[in-house]
Amino acid sequence: EDQDAEVEGRAYMAKLNKEMAQLFNRQTKAAWAYESNITEHNKMSKLNVSLETAKIVKERWLSTIQFPWQSFKDEDLKRQFKKMSILGTAALPDDKYEKHHDCDISEKLAKSRNPDELKHFWVEWRNATGRKCRQLYTEYVTLMNEAAKLNNFTDAAEYWIHDFETKDFEKQVQKLWNEIEPLYMQLHAYVRGRLNEKYGDEMVPKQGAIPAHLLGNMWSQTWGNIYDFTVPFQGKQQIDVTNSMKQQNYTPLKMFKLSDEFFTSLNLSAMPELFWKNSIIERPQGRELVCHASAWDFYDGEDFRIKQCAVVTMEELYTVHHEMGHIQYYLQYKDQPNVYKEGANSGFHEAVGDTIALSVSTPKHMRKIGLLDPQSEDDPQADINFLFLTALEKIAFLPFGYLMDVWRWGVFKGTIEPKNYNCQWWNLRWRYQGIEPPVHRSEEDFDPGAKYHIVGDTPYIRYFVSFIIQFQFHRALCEKAGQFDPQNPTSKPLHQCDIYQSTEAGNALGAMLKMGSSKPWPDAMEALTGQRKMDASALMQYFAPLYEWLKEENKRTGETIGWRTHPQQKR
Ligand SMILES: C=C(C[SeH])C(=O)N1CCC[C@H]1C(=O)O
Ligand SMILES: [Zn+2]
């Protein structure tokens, strides 16, 4: 009768996928209504719909786990049952589920060159956000661990890591970081040297950690905003194309159309009419909304949206491509059963747009689309400048992308206790990023809570994974586009590759994206790159010329590599 159970299971799963699609469509609509117009009414209806959805999902889960799916013959049907037998936070009783979805905070970004003003923004932001959330966060951690245990996980760390379907995942990401750390140390030493020149020994000690508020980003997670005074060779072609975009009257819509055209040039899907009708690409007047950029799948195969308060800058042009990458993934796997409508793993979903942006950001491509003077040529110094700007976005990010969930895994496992939340946060920030707070911090503060993803319950290691695998994707696509030769990697440098208009590359990317999560991610990785593991070699190959330059330059100027002194407790 196992045979009958499998036949019945197949019909059951087909029906369940259709029902889940409708449930998720309704839930996503309610979430969109709230996040695009924050009112008490929209908040309550989002919550009610979430509770109703959780109740139905839990009922279906109870019948799903009744099936003897582990003994089914059909591997694909088994995979669908396996995925559907993880209930997640819907396992929580209603009153607890409700509390788990609170403490959402919109975020703004601050940039200036006045250290006192920066310090003010840095401190005030944390007083207005994280500090208020510490107690709630502690309760959230308890609930998350409770939900994890209801799903037969030891704690929420195991539940989150389970998503990557990779045994020894934590070891793999630690190994990747160890391979990249020497490059990060060189970049850190060079940037600290420039900050020391600008702000002096008192504020930026030559051998110490870098004060967090001077790096051009509220969380010191990317350093692109201080490119102007840290660039290796001044006076070269201006690769920050923000001014060109403004001079050419770029609008947010034009930025999205530019990105759409890149995808169609690869023979990938154009954005459907509904996307242009339903998306929010500029901050609307007269209402509160969550401005953190996001891409939405409404699980009906037609309705896909981006919500972004886009402004005309180069940084935002990259975010546009990042979000459009999510939508492209949704479009490519829209015919999969509902249960497979996700990335091969969550890092894949974050990597698609960034991979495209690696081509878009090249001076070669910027000249093609008229944002860079066509006469300007790629002399070796301009080339280093370009690699340096990309490193400020990609290499500077890696320790932050790594430590965010190292801290949270510790919190969920209980190795980081509430009484040490902030102290352990700064220990990790010092150890991995070589930064320190500009003012004294105590356990009255809750600095992790100043980051959207921490209070928004969004895992973060996906971005670390994305920043590694996007270079593997880029290398494979460049090879297919005839713009990189693995036998002779320096003949066509990887960082100068632009896959624009290559249908070979686009077809290969599309084939991987169409899979959704229907196969374990190593199969998807292999389909595009021929590799079955995450591998830092593509990233190291991309940045090799910069790495060599940094080592020579830091030796020439006698920079100390690393940060000797422990965080001085600021008065
Ligand atoms: C753009 C998004 C939405 Se999925 C984002 O949260 N990112 C993209 C890169 C890192 C991370 C962040 O902003 O912290
Ligand atoms: Zn994303």
Side-chain angles (χ1 to χ4, degrees):
E1 90 282 358
D2 265 8
Q3 194 61 24
D4 297 351
E6 183 153 351
V7 169
E8 193 195 331
R10 184 181 316 318
Y12 169 82
M13 186 49 71
K15 187 165 161 290
L16 182 60
N17 268 302
K18 283 193 179 52
E19 185 183 11
M20 297 305 263
Q22 282 149 5
L23 276 175
F24 287 1
N25 176 263
R26 182 168 171 266
Q27 180 173 34
T28 309
K29 280 199 163 91
W32 174 274
Y34 169 66
E35 293 208 17
S36 59
N37 183 8
I38 297 177
T39 63
E40 213 34 53
H41 169 265
N42 288 342
K43 182 173 180 175
M44 289 320 292
S45 69
K46 175 192 170 190
L47 204 50
N48 292 332
V49 170
S50 286
L51 286 171
E52 284 163 23
T53 305
K55 203 194 311 313
I56 300 169
V57 167
K58 192 167 164 183
E59 282 164 20
R60 297 295 171 275
W61 171 70
L62 287 169
S63 22
T64 301
I65 57 179
Q66 305 300 327
F67 283 85
W69 57 268
Q70 291 89 333
S71 58
F72 283 177
K73 302 276 175 296
D74 178 337
E75 281 308 315
D76 181 63
L77 185 61
K78 232 160 90 170
R79 181 171 177 79
Q80 294 195 43
F81 266 90
K82 178 172 177 284
K83 282 182 158 299
M84 293 302 279
S85 60
I86 305 265
L87 180 55
T89 48
L92 288 169
D94 284 5
D95 61 313
K96 294 192 167 177
Y97 183 87
E98 190 168 333
K99 272 193 85 59
H100 161 270
H101 278 254
D102 216 334
C103 193
D104 239 341
I105 288 161
S106 71
E107 60 178 276
K108 299 185 285 298
L109 212 58
K111 274 185 284 183
S112 119
R113 296 288 177 268
N114 172 326
D116 292 332
E117 190 184 26
L118 284 168
K119 190 187 292 187
H120 169 78
F121 276 128
W122 192 92
V123 172
E124 286 317 305
W125 172 262
R126 278 154 184 77
N127 290 341
T129 59
R131 207 181 172 96
K132 292 191 164 69
C133 274
R134 170 185 263 278
Q135 184 43 43
L136 258 180
Y137 195 80
T138 312
E139 292 164 25
Y140 153 82
V141 171
T142 308
L143 285 174
M144 283 297 284
N145 279 331
E146 222 175 279
K149 288 182 177 66
L150 287 167
N151 286 275
N152 301 322
F153 293 108
T154 316
D155 51 46
E158 193 199 344
Y159 170 42
W160 277 13
I161 289 164
H162 174 268
D163 226 28
F164 285 91
E165 293 186 282
T166 307
K167 62 175 186 43
D168 77 334
F169 178 75
E170 288 175 88
K171 288 224 174 329
Q172 285 192 25
V173 289
Q174 184 175 37
K175 178 171 171 290
L176 291 165
W177 168 246
N178 292 337
E179 288 163 8
I180 290 156
E181 189 173 29
L183 170 53
Y184 177 77
M185 302 287 270
Q186 292 294 330
L187 180 69
H188 176 280
Y190 172 81
V191 169
R192 181 182 53 197
R194 300 297 68 70
L195 288 166
N196 171 270
E197 276 164 9
K198 186 174 183 66
Y199 295 112
D201 290 346
E202 171 62 25
M203 192 166 291
V204 186
K206 285 182 86 70
Q207 299 195 338
I210 297 176
H213 65 311
L214 301 178
L215 289 161
N217 175 274
M218 184 58 88
W219 304 277
S220 317
Q221 70 182 68
T222 49
W223 303 350
N225 287 319
I226 61 167
Y227 170 79
D228 58 326
F229 66 84
T230 56
V231 59
F233 302 100
Q234 292 285 355
K236 288 287 168 185
Q237 64 187 12
Q238 172 54 284
I239 47 175
D240 181 332
V241 295
T242 302
N243 290 337
S244 308
M245 292 167 75
K246 290 189 161 118
Q247 278 153 17
Q248 296 180 30
N249 302 320
Y250 264 61
T251 61
L253 180 61
K254 180 156 172 44
M255 291 157 73
F256 279 86
K257 288 292 185 186
L258 194 77
S259 181
D260 186 38
E261 199 278 328
F262 195 105
F263 282 102
T264 52
S265 85
L266 299 175
N267 190 32
L268 287 170
S269 305
M271 293 298 125
E273 264 324 296
L274 208 51
F275 168 83
W276 300 110
K277 180 168 165 293
N278 290 341
S279 291
I280 294 177
I281 60 174
E282 289 184 77
R283 177 191 279 277
Q285 303 308 323
R287 67 186 207 228
E288 260 297 283
L289 78 166
V290 174
C291 256
H292 188 86
S294 54
W296 298 59
D297 185 351
F298 284 75
Y299 298 100
D300 62 3
E302 290 163 7
D303 195 353
F304 308 94
R305 305 177 197 179
I306 283 174
K307 178 165 57 62
Q308 183 174 345
C309 305
V311 290
V312 178
T313 65
M314 181 168 74
E315 188 180 20
E316 284 284 294
L317 183 62
Y318 295 153
T319 303
V320 165
H321 283 83
H322 177 93
E323 299 308 327
M324 292 284 269
H326 286 301
I327 303 289
Q328 188 61 226
Y329 215 157
Y330 299 147
L331 290 170
Q332 291 296 328
Y333 61 53
K334 68 182 174 56
D335 301 320
Q336 285 285 354
N338 191 69
V339 69
Y340 292 150
K341 288 190 173 181
E342 48 185 7
N345 72 41
S346 50
F348 277 60
H349 232 299
E350 299 306 333
V352 180
D354 282 13
T355 302
I356 300 302
L358 286 174
S359 285
V360 172
S361 65
T362 58
K364 177 163 61 176
H365 188 79
M366 289 300 185
R367 279 197 282 276
K368 265 181 215 159
I369 59 176
L371 282 176
L372 207 56
D373 167 10
Q375 305 312 321
S376 61
E377 80 298 344
D378 263 350
D379 68 63
Q381 293 184 344
D383 204 36
I384 289 294
N385 282 354
F386 166 68
L387 271 170
F388 176 73
L389 176 58
T390 310
L392 292 182
E393 287 299 313
K394 301 295 181 183
I395 304 301
F397 177 80
L398 287 166
F400 180 74
Y402 179 60
L403 72 85
M404 276 278 281
D405 282 354
V406 168
W407 181 82
R408 277 193 286 194
W409 294 335
V411 166
F412 289 142
K413 288 173 185 172
T415 48
I416 295 181
E417 296 170 306
K419 65 180 178 4
N420 299 322
Y421 274 176
N422 220 40
C423 165
Q424 292 284 31
W425 170 257
W426 283 107
N427 281 344
L428 292 171
R429 291 272 259 173
W430 184 80
R431 176 179 165 204
Y432 288 107
Q433 284 187 274
I435 65 171
E436 64 179 18
V439 296
H440 175 72
R441 308 309 283 160
S442 76
E443 289 303 335
E444 296 301 303
D445 301 302
F446 180 55
D447 295 328
K451 180 63 192 169
Y452 171 86
H453 298 69
I454 300 277
V455 292
D457 179 33
T458 308
Y460 209 82
I461 199 70
R462 60 184 60 174
Y463 299 109
F464 178 85
V465 167
S466 156
F467 278 48
I468 301 290
I469 63 177
Q470 65 187 248
F471 288 94
Q472 290 176 261
F473 295 171
H474 183 60
R475 180 170 62 184
L477 293 171
C478 292
E479 209 179 313
K480 289 184 187 340
Q483 299 231 2
F484 178 71
D485 174 2
Q487 310 312 326
N488 186 353
T490 51
S491 61
K492 288 174 245 178
L494 190 51
H495 69 279
Q496 292 175 358
C497 155
D498 170 17
I499 64 168
Y500 186 52
Q501 295 170 333
S502 165
T503 48
E504 294 81 2
N507 291 343
L509 180 57
M512 178 183 84
L513 300 181
K514 279 185 179 57
M515 295 166 69
S517 64
S518 60
K519 293 283 188 323
W521 69 262
D523 295 357
M525 169 74 83
E526 186 172 34
L528 177 59
T529 70
Q531 296 177 287
R532 293 187 60 81
K533 286 184 90 77
M534 296 182 281
D535 166 17
S537 73
L539 178 148
M540 294 306 281
Q541 224 164 16
Y542 181 101
F543 287 103
L546 178 71
Y547 190 24
E548 291 317 306
W549 184 85
L550 285 168
K551 282 186 279 188
E552 273 164 47
E553 178 67 4
N554 285 332
K555 199 155 55 197
R556 185 180 70 79
T557 56
E559 296 300 347
T560 299
I561 307 303
W563 41 95
R564 303 267 182 284
T565 51
H566 260 265
Q568 304 101 357
Q569 283 311 320
K570 300 272 177 197
R571 293 293 143 256

